[in-house]
Amino acid sequence: MPRVIDLRSDTVTLPSLSMRKAMMECPLGDDMFGEDPTVNKLQDMVKNMFKKDSAILVPSGTMANELAIKALSEPGDAVIMPAHAHIYSYESGGAPFLSGITPVLAGDSRGVIEVEELETLVPPSDQHFAPVTVVSLENTHNGHVIPLPKIEAVHKFCQERNLKMHLDGARIFNAAAALQVCVSEIAQYFDTISFCLSKGLGTPMGSMVVCSNEKIRKRVHRFRKLFGGAMRQSGIIAAAGIYALENNRSCLAKDHQRAQRLANLLSEIEGVSIRNTPVETNMLFMDFSQTGVPGEVLEQELAQENVKIFTDRRTSVSRLVTHLDIHDEDIDRFVASLKKILVPSKNRMMEKV
């Protein structure tokens, strides 16, 4: 039986044998006392890489975002964020519940928020309005990369109005690879940055909150305990992160190339189109609505070929994500399997007409 090709997300990767060895052999201590040497090494590595004051290891990307919002805001504040932001759409309403903030949605489909729009969203100082205190961006946003000049413009606006900035940088290393810059060039504009060790980098779990000053670090550290995210011998997680940052970042550009190649091959199939063009990183959105094949049927038939995808059955669009465990031959096999399912269906539709 051929091995499983899983294009649902870059979170499905399995740690390599070398990563598992690093996890097994790392020195450990109690991180609640700040005594886990592997955690401390990872946090120092990230701090230096991002050129920030500090970094804190947490269990998940959702927790990293929620901790950052909590640290930067007070209950009753308003936070501006992209309309399709992960913080708003996919964190179970955590920010209003945990931090008591009001989300203010902005930006376009690529996650870009223009200064002109921000000017209309920040209210005057008046008792009737929830004060906007934070602007949150997301890079990458559904595979799109926000250009640095756009971020710089928002940063200048926030500085002039004394607003804090957070970056949901779950895939910030993908953004940096696409922009061909160091992550510090993106991070310089933000008070907090979250990123996932388990997205693209190949670790089994773990995320980081990067902080710009000691006051924010203390708040994040305290709220990590409050949210239930403090850990003990968490060096086994940190060791995977260290290995990933030392060895797997260079693979991201190959993931992007494979995603672009996949997009090109899919575009040759009649009835299939790519929603996010050009494909900038490791993520593409395949629209197969014109083929007449229901999403549930496509998922089931691909599963019989040992291929896993996820489809939005309302729109017949599938998000496909390349990652460490996807190789060139997997791309070819997936496209061949897709043609077996979609092309005959298209022919049947033509015969009915």
Side-chain angles (χ1 to χ4, degrees), residues 35-302:
E35 294 176 355
D36 190 302
T38 309
V39 171
N40 293 339
K41 179 180 177 180
L42 172 63
Q43 292 177 162
D44 285 342
M45 175 188 292
V46 171
K47 173 187 74 173
N48 294 332
M49 193 176 289
F50 281 70
K51 296 184 180 178
K52 290 292 187 182
D53 177 81
S54 56
I56 297 176
L57 175 66
V58 300
S60 72
T62 293
M63 178 173 282
N65 279 330
E66 296 302 333
L67 286 170
I69 295 299
K70 182 73 172 175
L72 297 180
S73 66
E74 297 294 338
D77 288 353
V79 176
I80 296 174
M81 61 185 68
H84 303 287
H86 194 278
I87 292 176
Y88 179 73
S89 299
Y90 299 106
E91 295 184 5
S92 198
F97 181 80
L98 296 168
S99 298
I101 62 95
T102 297
V104 178
L105 305 183
D108 61 18
S109 62
R110 302 173 70 87
V112 174
I113 303 177
E114 301 287 355
V115 169
E116 292 78 11
E117 185 178 10
L118 289 174
E119 289 173 342
T120 69
L121 294 176
V122 177
S125 180
D126 184 282
Q127 63 180 332
H128 296 89
F129 304 115
V132 170
T133 56
V134 182
V135 175
S136 176
L137 300 181
E138 188 174 276
N139 211 7
T140 64
H141 183 78
N142 287 332
H144 295 298
V145 179
I146 302 177
L148 288 178
K150 295 291 186 181
I151 298 175
E152 186 177 10
V154 173
H155 177 254
K156 182 180 178 183
F157 175 90
C158 290
Q159 280 193 315
E160 291 171 351
R161 289 157 180 79
N162 196 31
L163 308 180
K164 301 294 186 184
M165 287 186 67
H166 169 63
L167 177 67
D168 178 353
R171 296 179 175 88
I172 190 173
F173 287 98
N174 290 91
L179 293 170
Q180 297 184 328
V181 299
C182 298
V183 288
S184 60
E185 292 191 46
I186 303 173
Q188 64 179 312
Y189 301 108
F190 297 92
D191 298 282
T192 54
I193 305 103
S194 67
F195 75 89
C196 293
L197 294 163
S198 58
K199 288 182 178 176
L201 294 173
T203 74
M205 67 174 294
S207 290
M208 306 294 296
V209 184
V210 187
C211 310
S212 61
N213 60 55
E214 180 64 9
K215 180 182 177 181
I216 293 173
R217 186 203 69 80
K218 285 183 176 180
R219 285 174 66 83
V220 170
H221 197 258
R222 186 261 164 140
F223 293 136
R224 183 181 72 166
K225 176 68 174 178
L226 177 66
F227 288 3
M231 298 177 284
R232 297 295 181 177
Q233 288 74 31
S234 43
I236 54 174
I237 301 169
I242 292 169
Y243 181 91
L245 291 174
E246 289 179 341
N247 296 279
N248 292 348
R249 282 186 297 148
S250 60
C251 301
L252 296 174
K254 293 180 181 178
D255 294 340
H256 298 179
Q257 292 167 7
R258 288 192 173 105
Q260 291 163 5
R261 177 170 174 262
L262 175 57
N264 292 338
L265 292 172
L266 293 176
S267 297
E268 296 173 357
I269 302 176
E270 187 177 358
V272 174
S273 61
I274 305 302
R275 285 278 188 93
N276 58 318
T277 54
V279 173
E280 299 175 66
T281 58
N282 66 324
M283 192 178 295
L284 60 141
F285 292 80
M286 176 184 71
D287 185 335
F288 57 95
S289 57
Q290 297 303 307
T291 66
V293 177
E296 183 177 3
V297 172
L298 183 60
E299 286 183 26
Q300 291 173 350
E301 295 202 18
L302 283 172

